[in-house]
C-alpha cells in the first residue's frame, strides 16, 4: 500500500504555492498529485518520496494533514487499459472513491493511484487478476 | 401629537413622586409574591419598607438573563397562572426560550405605551396601520397591534413575509403607517421599486421600525426610498415588547415611558449607576407589570439618558439610539443570536468545539450570516464529498438551533484570529 499525504486547503490565492514551497525547502519531491475542490475549499493529495517527513513538516507549518492508504497499479498504456483494470474491481463490488494518474510512464505502462472503498479486498483482486502494483520503493524513487 | 399629555408632559417632580410610589408598591409585590426576589432582597438585607427615595433603587440587586433561564419557564411570575392571559417568548442562548407573561392589566398598559408611540409617529384613529412584525411568540406583531387598536386606528395584521402581498394590500387598503424591522422595510422598498407599482397610489406616510439596531444612516435610506417619516421604536420582550420607548419628531432620542419602565444607566463592569448623559448599560425596573415584574433588569444595550424637556414638549426621559451591546449577542433578521449557541452545535461534532467565527454582512437589504469553522484533524476526511456532507450536517443543526439559516465555511486551522488566547467570535460588517 502507498502512503498518500492529504491536505485540507482553503481556496485562497497562494495556498498551493505555500505547500509546494514547504516541500521544496524540505527537499521532498512530489511524484503525483491531485486536487478535488469546491468553491470554498479543496483537498490536495500528494504522492511524495518521503510521506512521513512531508506529514511532519506540513503539520509543523500548521497545515491540516493526514496520511491515507492508497493503491498504486500499473496498467497497459493503450486505449482501454485502465477500463479493463477498473472492470475487474467493479465486478467484485469494489468502488473507486477517487483516482489520479502519474505523469510519464514506466516502460509501456501507465501508473494510476486508486483510493478504494475497501483497499485490502481491492488488493486481493488486483493480485488475482495479475495486475501489477507499484511498490512504495518504486514510487518514492521514480 | 401627544396621546397622554398628563403623563408625557408631567413635571419632573410629579413624575418622581409617581415613580417612588410605584417603586415601593412594586418592591412590596415582588417581595411577597416571588420567592426568587424575596431571596435576592434578603441577601442584601433589604425589606420592603426600606425604600424612601428613588435613589434607594441603586441598592437593590440586578436581574439578568441568566436568572430568567434559571427560573424557566414561569419561576419569576408574580401571579398565579390563572391571572396570566398571555405568554410570549424570545430565543434564548441555549435552546430554551426566555418566557414572559402578561396579566390583563399588563396588556392594557402595553397597549397604552404603544399607543403613545404611534401618536409620536403622527398616527391616530384616522390611521391605517399595517403590522408586518411577526405575530406569535415574538412580541413585535401583537405589541404594535394592541397599541394601534387602542388609538382606534384600522389594523392590518399582516405579520412578516409575503412581500408582494404586503405591497398589494398596502396600496389597496390605503396603509398610512408601516410597522416592521428596519431591514424588512428596506427589503420591501426594494421589492416595491422593482415591481413597477406606482408609489403615488400609496398613502403611506409613516413607519415605526425596531426590534433590531439601526443607524441614522439607515433611517435616511428608508425615508428616501419610501418617502415616509421613519420612527425608532424600542423594546424588549423581558420588559414588555415594543413600546418601551419611541422617538418623536424632534429626533433627540427615544422617549421612555418612565411611568412604567424606570431606566438607569450603569457601568457594566463596576455596576455603579452613571450620571445623566453618560454612556453605559441600560437597566430597567418595571413599575406596573403584574405577571412578570423585573427589578433592575440588565438589558446589555448601551445608551445614555437625557432628562431636559424635549422640543416636542414631552418631559419623558430620552435615551440615545442604541449604539451597541455589552455582550456578544447579535440581532440578525430580527432574531437574537449568541455565539454560544453556535459553540453548542459544534460541540456535537467532536469532543472539543473547533474554533469558529461568525461573520454578519448585509447583502442588499438582508442580513447574511456566515460561520467559519476551523476544520480539525478529527473532522478531516480526504474526500470533498465527506467534507461537503459535514458542512451540510453543521448547517442543518445551526438552522434548527439558531432559527435562522447560515452559510457554513470550513477553514484551515489557525485561520480564525485569536486575541489573548480567545477567539474573536464575531465580525459584524453591517453598516447599520
Amino acid at each position: 500500500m502507498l502512503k498518500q499525504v492529504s491536505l485540507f486547503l482553503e481556496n485562497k490565492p497562494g495556498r498551493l504555492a505555500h505547500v509546494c514551497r514547504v516541500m521544496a525547502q524540505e527537499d521532498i519531491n512530489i511524484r503525483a498529485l491531485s486536487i478535488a475542490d469546491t468553491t470554498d475549499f479543496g483537498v490536495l493529495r500528494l504522492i511524495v518520496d518521503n510521506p512521513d517527513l512531508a506529514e511532519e513538516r506540513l503539520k509543523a507549518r500548521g497545515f491540516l494533514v493526514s496520511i491515507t492508504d492508497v493503491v498504486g497499479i500499473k496498467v497497459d498504456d493503450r486505449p482501454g487499459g485502465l477500463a479493463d483494470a477498473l472492470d475487474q474491481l467493479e465486478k467484485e463490488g469494489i468502488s473507486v472513491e477517487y483516482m489520479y494518474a502519474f505523469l510519464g510512464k514506466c516502460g509501456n505502462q501507465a501508473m494510476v493511484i486508486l483510493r478504494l472503498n475497501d483497499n485490502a479486498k481491492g488488493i486481493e483482486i488486483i493480485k488475482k487478476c495479475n495486475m501489477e502494483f507499484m511498490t512504495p520503493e518504486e514510487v518514492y524513487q521514480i | 401629537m401627544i396621546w397622554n399629555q398628563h403623563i408625557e408632559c408631567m413635571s419632573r417632580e410629579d413624575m418622581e413622586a409617581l415613580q417612588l410610589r410605584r417603586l415601593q408598591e412594586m418592591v412590596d409585590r415582588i417581595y411577597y409574591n416571588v420567592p426568587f426576589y424575596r431571596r435576592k432582597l434578603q441577601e442584601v438585607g433589604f425589606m420592603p419598607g426600606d425604600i424612601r427615595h428613588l435613589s434607594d433603587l441603586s441598592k437593590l440587586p440586578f436581574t439578568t438573563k441568566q436568572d430568567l433561564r434559571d427560573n424557566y419557564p414561569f419561576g419569576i411570575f408574580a401571579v398565579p397562572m390563572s391571572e396570566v392571559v398571555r405568554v410570549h417568548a424570545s430565543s434564548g442562548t441555549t435552546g430554551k426560550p426566555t418566557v414572559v407573561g402578561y396579566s390583563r392589566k399588563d396588556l392594557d398598559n402595553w397597549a397604552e405605551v404603544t399607543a403613545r408611540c404611534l401618536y409620536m409617529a403622527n398616527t391616530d384613529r384616522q390611521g391605517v396601520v399595517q403590522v408586518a412584525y411577526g405575530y406569535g411568540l415574538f412580541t413585535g406583531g401583537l405589541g404594535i397591534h394592541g397599541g394601534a387598536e387602542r388609538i382606534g386606528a384600522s389594523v392590518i395584521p399582516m405579520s412578516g413575509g409575503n412581500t408582494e402581498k404586503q405591497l398589494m394590500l398596502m396600496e389597496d387598503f390605503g396603509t398610512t403607517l408601516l410597522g416592521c424591522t428596519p431591514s424588512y422595510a428596506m427589503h420591501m422598498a426594494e421589492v416595491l421599486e422593482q415591481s413597477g407599482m406606482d408609489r403615488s397610489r400609496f398613502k403611506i406616510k409613516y413607519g415605526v421600525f425596531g426590534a433590531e439596531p439601526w443607524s441614522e444612516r439607515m433611517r435616511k435610506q428608508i425615508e428616501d426610498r419610501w418617502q415616509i417619516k421613519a420612527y425608532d421604536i424600542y423594546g424588549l420582550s423581558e420588559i414588555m415588547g415594543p413600546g418601551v420607548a419611541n422617538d418623536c419628531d424632534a429626533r433627540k432620542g427615544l422617549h421612555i415611558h418612565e411611568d412604567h419602565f424606570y431606566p438607569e444607566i450603569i457601568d457594566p463592569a463596576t455596576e455603579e449607576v452613571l450620571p445623566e448623559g453618560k454612556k453605559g448599560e441600560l437597566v430597567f425596573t418595571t413599575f406596573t407589570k403584574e405577571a412578570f415584574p423585573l427589578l433592575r433588569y440588565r438589558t446589555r444595550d448601551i445608551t445614555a439618558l437625557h432628562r431636559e424637556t424635549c422640543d416636542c414638549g414631552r418631559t419623558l426621559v430620552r435615551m440615545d439610539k442604541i449604539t451597541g451591546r455589552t455582550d456578544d449577542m447579535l440581532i440578525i433578521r430580527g432574531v437574537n443570536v449568541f455565539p454560544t449557541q453556535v459553540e453548542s452545535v459544534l460541540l456535537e461534532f467532536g469532543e472539543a468545539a473547533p474554533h469558529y467565527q461568525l461573520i454578519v454582512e448585509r447583502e442588499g437589504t438582508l442580513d447574511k450570516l456566515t460561520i467559519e469553522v476551523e476544520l480539525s484533524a478529527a473532522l478531516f476526511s480526504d474526500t470533498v464529498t465527506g467534507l461537503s456532507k459535514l458542512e451540510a450536517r453543521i448547517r442543518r443543526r445551526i438552522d434548527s438551533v439558531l432559527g435562522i439559516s447560515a452559510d457554513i465555511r470550513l477553514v484551515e486551522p489557525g485561520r480564525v484570529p485569536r486575541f489573548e488566547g480567545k477567539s474573536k467570535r464575531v465580525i459584524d460588517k453591517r453598516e447599520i
Side-chain angles (χ1 to χ4, degrees):
Chain A
M1 218 119 39
L2 299 178
K3 284 181 174 176
Q4 169 192 277
V5 179
S6 311
L7 281 111
F8 176 77
L9 290 180
E10 282 169 62
N11 271 354
K12 284 194 174 148
R15 296 307 289 158
L16 200 51
H18 190 190
V19 176
C20 296
R21 182 59 49 208
V22 171
M23 306 299 258
Q25 282 163 359
E26 301 295 338
D27 206 22
I28 295 168
N29 207 336
I30 300 171
R31 300 299 186 202
L33 66 82
S34 90
I35 296 178
D37 64 345
T38 69
T39 50
D40 293 333
F41 62 80
V43 177
L44 172 65
R45 304 169 186 131
L46 299 171
I47 300 293
V48 298
D49 57 1
N50 190 340
D52 294 328
L53 180 68
E55 182 194 12
E56 184 199 313
R57 293 307 151 124
L58 287 167
K59 271 189 179 162
R61 301 292 185 96
F63 285 98
L64 186 51
V65 189
S66 71
I67 294 286
T68 316
D69 286 332
V70 291
V71 179
I73 57 168
K74 296 177 189 171
V75 298
D76 290 343
D77 189 15
R78 57 166 173 84
L82 182 57
D84 290 348
L86 295 180
D87 280 347
Q88 302 288 344
L89 291 167
E90 196 198 340
K91 254 190 267 172
E92 302 290 335
I94 298 295
S95 61
V96 176
E97 287 184 356
Y98 54 79
M99 59 174 285
Y100 49 101
F102 275 70
L103 292 176
K105 49 174 159 175
C106 175
N108 198 30
Q109 285 177 309
M111 297 171 288
V112 179
I113 299 292
L114 301 172
R115 166 73 187 175
L116 304 170
N117 62 343
D118 185 340
N119 272 340
K121 193 169 167 211
I123 287 170
E124 274 175 41
I125 293 157
I126 291 165
K127 279 182 186 156
K128 210 168 66 190
C129 304
N130 291 320
M131 277 189 263
E132 256 188 86
F133 282 104
M134 295 161 65
T135 64
E137 295 70 31
E138 203 176 357
V139 170
Y140 303 152
Q141 283 153 30
I142 286 170
Chain B
M1 291 195 301
I2 298 178
W3 171 256
N4 188 334
Q5 186 90 26
H6 171 64
I7 291 288
E8 294 178 71
C9 301
M10 192 176 252
S11 73
R12 182 57 40 198
E13 199 183 333
D14 289 350
M15 177 60 77
E16 287 183 355
L18 173 70
Q19 288 174 330
L20 175 60
R21 201 181 70 241
R22 287 186 168 177
L23 176 63
Q24 289 166 333
E25 290 166 3
M26 184 266 186
V27 174
D28 274 11
R29 241 185 6 258
I30 59 173
Y31 186 89
Y32 292 114
N33 297 332
V34 187
F36 163 80
Y37 277 124
R38 182 157 58 244
R39 264 197 317 278
K40 264 194 174 240
L41 289 167
Q42 282 170 344
E43 274 167 24
V44 296
F46 223 86
M47 294 291 286
D50 288 353
I51 291 184
R52 306 229 156 68
H53 306 282
L54 262 182
S55 59
D56 290 334
L57 178 61
S58 66
K59 300 172 195 159
L60 301 187
F62 293 103
T63 310
T64 65
K65 195 151 184 117
Q66 183 63 41
D67 291 324
L68 309 190
R69 263 202 295 279
D70 293 346
N71 291 280
Y72 174 86
F74 306 140
I76 297 183
F77 283 16
V79 296
M81 285 307 279
S82 56
E83 298 297 315
V84 173
V85 297
R86 193 193 297 166
V87 292
H88 281 287
S90 65
S91 60
T93 52
T94 52
K96 292 284 191 191
T98 301
V99 185
V100 296
Y102 302 79
S103 68
R104 198 166 293 284
K105 187 83 195 331
D106 293 336
L107 292 184
D108 196 48
N109 284 332
W110 190 8
E112 156 73 20
V113 293
T114 311
R116 294 182 200 169
C117 296
L118 294 172
Y119 252 59
M120 278 187 220
N122 286 302
T123 294
D124 61 12
R125 56 183 298 116
Q126 309 299 330
V128 178
V129 174
Q130 183 161 342
V131 184
Y133 283 106
Y135 280 69
L137 283 175
F138 176 52
T139 49
L142 285 163
I144 303 290
H145 185 112
E149 282 192 348
R150 173 61 56 90
I151 61 176
S154 313
V155 186
I156 312 172
M158 287 297 297
S159 198
N162 207 346
T163 309
E164 282 81 8
K165 192 171 181 186
Q166 298 261 11
L167 292 169
M168 181 183 84
L169 298 188
M170 185 179 280
E171 179 181 349
D172 296 349
F173 294 180
T175 298
T176 60
L177 178 138
L178 171 67
C180 61
T181 61
S183 55
Y184 190 58
M186 289 286 283
H187 179 68
M188 287 174 83
E190 196 163 75
V191 175
L192 172 63
E193 286 157 18
Q194 288 162 359
S195 70
M197 294 171 99
D198 181 0
R199 171 64 182 85
S200 68
R201 298 173 64 89
F202 286 67
K203 295 209 172 85
I204 183 165
K205 288 169 79 175
Y206 309 108
V208 288
F209 305 116
E212 63 188 19
W214 54 309
S215 60
E216 286 301 335
R217 196 174 137 270
M218 192 162 172
R219 165 139 62 190
K220 180 148 190 342
Q221 283 180 359
I222 291 177
E223 293 192 324
D224 289 349
R225 296 180 81 166
W226 269 110
Q227 298 156 331
I228 59 173
K229 282 188 89 169
Y231 298 84
D232 189 0
I233 189 165
Y234 173 84
L236 61 167
S237 60
E238 295 94 316
I239 298 307
M240 191 59 117
V244 172
N246 200 91
D247 62 4
C248 63
D249 284 322
R251 294 208 173 159
K252 289 190 166 175
L254 289 77
H255 290 284
I256 298 172
H257 302 298
E258 58 178 316
D259 52 326
H260 294 286
F261 319 113
Y262 186 77
E264 296 170 279
I265 297 292
I266 63 161
D267 178 328
T270 65
E271 300 187 339
E272 290 295 317
V273 175
L274 297 175
E276 188 176 329
K278 280 265 188 287
K279 222 181 228 196
E281 181 180 338
L282 179 62
V283 170
F284 274 115
T285 297
T286 64
F287 285 146
T288 53
K289 262 170 81 187
E290 293 180 337
F292 189 67
L294 287 177
L295 184 64
R296 306 192 83 200
Y297 182 72
R298 297 188 59 165
T299 65
R300 305 287 172 187
D301 285 327
I302 294 170
T303 186
L305 298 178
H306 308 281
R307 288 201 164 84
E308 73 273 23
T309 302
C310 182
D311 297 348
C312 71
R314 288 179 182 82
T315 53
L316 289 175
V317 61
R318 284 165 290 125
M319 58 182 249
D320 292 336
K321 241 176 176 332
I322 299 295
T323 55
R325 288 188 55 87
T326 63
D327 62 9
D328 47 10
M329 186 182 91
L330 289 160
I331 303 179
I332 301 170
R333 302 198 285 272
V335 176
N336 297 354
V337 172
F338 290 89
T340 45
Q341 292 173 298
V342 173
E343 190 160 316
S344 72
V345 167
L346 295 177
L347 268 172
E348 297 169 13
F349 290 86
E351 283 172 18
H355 289 284
Y356 63 91
Q357 189 167 46
L358 282 70
I359 298 165
V360 197
E361 292 155 295
R362 185 152 282 168
E363 269 189 356
T365 54
L366 291 176
D367 293 341
K368 175 170 174 276
L369 172 63
T370 303
I371 302 174
E372 290 191 345
V373 180
E374 278 188 11
L375 194 62
S376 63
L379 294 175
F380 180 41
S381 77
D382 79 333
T383 63
V384 164
T385 35
L387 293 171
S388 296
K389 273 184 196 158
L390 175 69
E391 270 188 345
R393 277 167 55 214
I394 296 175
R395 186 179 307 120
R396 274 197 303 275
R397 285 297 297 149
I398 290 283
D399 280 8
S400 97
V401 171
L402 264 53
I404 58 166
S405 59
D407 269 3
I408 307 301
R409 185 173 302 150
L410 298 176
V411 299
E412 291 173 40
R415 300 299 265 193
V416 171
R418 280 118 169 116
F419 295 93
E420 293 162 4
K422 271 192 166 178
S423 301
K424 186 164 168 52
R425 298 292 191 208
V426 177
I427 294 181
D428 199 335
K429 294 180 179 169
R430 292 175 294 187
E431 289 176 16
I432 47 179

